[in-house]
Amino acid sequence: MSYTAWILLAASLVGVSCGLVGVLLILRRMAMMADAISHTVLLGIVVAYLVTLQLSGIHMFIGAVVAGLLTAVLVQWFHQLGVQQEASIGIVFTTLFAIGVILIATKAGNAHLDVQHSLMGEITFIPWNKVLLPLVGEVPKAVVSLVIVLIVILTVLLLFYKEWKLTSFDAVFAASIGIPVTLMHYVFMSLVSITSVAAFDAVGAILVIAMLITPASAAYLWTDKLSIMLVLSSIFGIISAFSGYYMAVLLDTSISGAMALATGIIFLISFIGAPRHGVIAKHRRGHAKSTATIN
């Protein structure tokens, strides 16, 4: 495959993975958790490096996932103590991210770890860091990681589709019929964490946040059916990856930044023209209702 094809494939995998997880985040009104986890994984990465002094390996992934789960646990703990959820997320997010930044500045200054890399990612480097797979040949390491994560996400979503649907739309009812709501919450936070970690190094925190929130929000404007919402969100993620890449090439700008911008454009189009909850559709329904009332 060509250099461009690998970048587009990796970005599309990020779009689909984040799109699927993002729908559940939006339905659970936890969009800010995407922002929090995609930043606090930096702390896990830095701590893993300081412990092992190695910049690559499974320890980096484990450290980042632990940091993501720690974020979810602390947010839930503060919320149970009476702190509003938005405030809990803000407190944990800023504190853990700040610790990560301080550790980079004071302890990892000689390593290739920096905040700019963490935020914007290095998607252009994806095709160069390859691993050899039997029967397949050389494949970018980021693509392998993203494929594995996507398979995990699809498996968990399909196996517990009814549980995800019930806990997302009505957690109280789900608990009343015996579904372990708390356990499902932490399983879901684990999915958010591994999705963020897998995409973090390749595309950066900004694109992870954009892909987790914006395509799902756009899909929510098109339909009220969960299955269709999941499909639409994934499609919007892929469209954002392709259109953002060619926008970046045309404007000679950041690929990750352009892809994030593309998600915003798709949301704006959906916000205006979506047939279910778009501005035009709402205006037409309101006009038709007013006309019917007059008649």
Side-chain angles (χ1 to χ4, degrees):
M1 291 177 66
S2 66
Y3 174 86
T4 298
W6 283 125
I7 291 178
L8 290 173
L9 177 58
S12 297
L13 288 169
V14 171
V16 174
S17 298
C18 291
L20 292 172
V21 173
V23 167
L24 297 181
L25 273 173
I26 295 299
L27 291 177
R28 290 163 177 258
R29 295 177 174 84
M30 298 180 69
M32 286 303 297
M33 280 299 293
D35 192 8
I37 291 178
S38 61
H39 279 79
T40 56
V41 294
L42 176 66
L43 175 60
I45 291 172
V46 177
V47 171
Y49 165 74
L50 293 177
V51 171
T52 64
L53 297 180
Q54 297 293 323
L55 280 172
S56 61
I58 190 64
H59 59 279
M60 302 291 277
F61 181 83
I62 293 172
V65 170
V66 170
L69 289 175
L70 177 63
T71 303
V73 170
L74 289 177
V75 167
Q76 187 70 11
W77 182 57
F78 281 123
H79 184 51
Q80 289 174 347
L81 291 177
V83 182
Q84 291 186 349
Q85 187 169 41
E86 293 82 1
S88 301
I89 293 173
I91 292 167
V92 174
F93 155 39
T94 53
T95 301
L96 296 185
F97 184 63
I99 294 172
V101 172
I102 291 171
L103 287 176
I104 286 179
T106 59
K107 301 294 184 180
N110 296 325
H112 184 57
L113 285 171
D114 59 84
V115 178
Q116 179 67 21
H117 174 264
S118 301
L119 292 176
M120 297 304 296
E122 293 292 349
I123 196 170
T124 53
F125 294 163
I126 283 176
W128 306 115
N129 188 9
K130 294 184 178 182
V131 294
L132 184 62
L133 297 180
L135 304 178
V136 178
E138 288 190 332
V139 179
K141 187 181 295 184
V143 171
V144 175
S145 300
L146 290 167
V147 168
I148 293 172
V149 168
L150 179 57
I151 292 172
V152 171
I153 292 171
L154 287 172
T155 302
V156 175
L157 284 180
L158 292 174
L159 285 177
F160 303 103
Y161 181 78
K162 181 186 72 174
E163 287 80 3
W164 294 126
K165 190 172 184 179
L166 288 173
T167 55
S168 297
F169 284 103
D170 194 340
V172 175
F173 174 73
S176 70
I177 61 174
I179 295 176
V181 175
T182 302
L183 176 61
M184 296 297 293
H185 170 75
Y186 286 115
V187 170
F188 176 60
M189 286 297 101
S190 298
L191 287 181
V192 176
S193 296
I194 65 171
T195 303
S196 299
V197 171
F200 184 83
D201 187 55
V203 302
I206 291 176
L207 185 55
V208 173
I209 297 167
M211 287 291 197
L212 277 170
I213 298 173
T214 319
S217 299
Y220 184 79
L221 295 170
W222 286 79
T223 181
D224 292 327
K225 192 172 182 180
L226 178 58
S227 57
I228 297 177
M229 205 180 298
L230 290 167
V231 173
L232 281 176
S233 182
S234 300
I235 292 173
F236 289 156
I238 294 173
I239 293 174
S240 299
F242 275 77
S243 58
Y245 176 80
Y246 289 107
M247 188 191 309
V249 172
L250 181 65
L251 299 176
D252 190 24
T253 188
S254 163
I255 296 176
S256 295
M259 289 178 180
L261 175 61
T263 66
I265 294 172
I266 289 174
F267 176 79
L268 181 61
I269 294 171
S270 301
F271 181 74
I272 296 172
R276 185 65 179 173
H277 299 292
V279 172
I280 295 174
K282 286 183 177 180
H283 177 74
R284 286 177 177 173
R285 285 197 295 269
H287 180 70
K289 187 176 181 179
S290 299
T291 303
T293 301
I294 294 172
N295 293 334

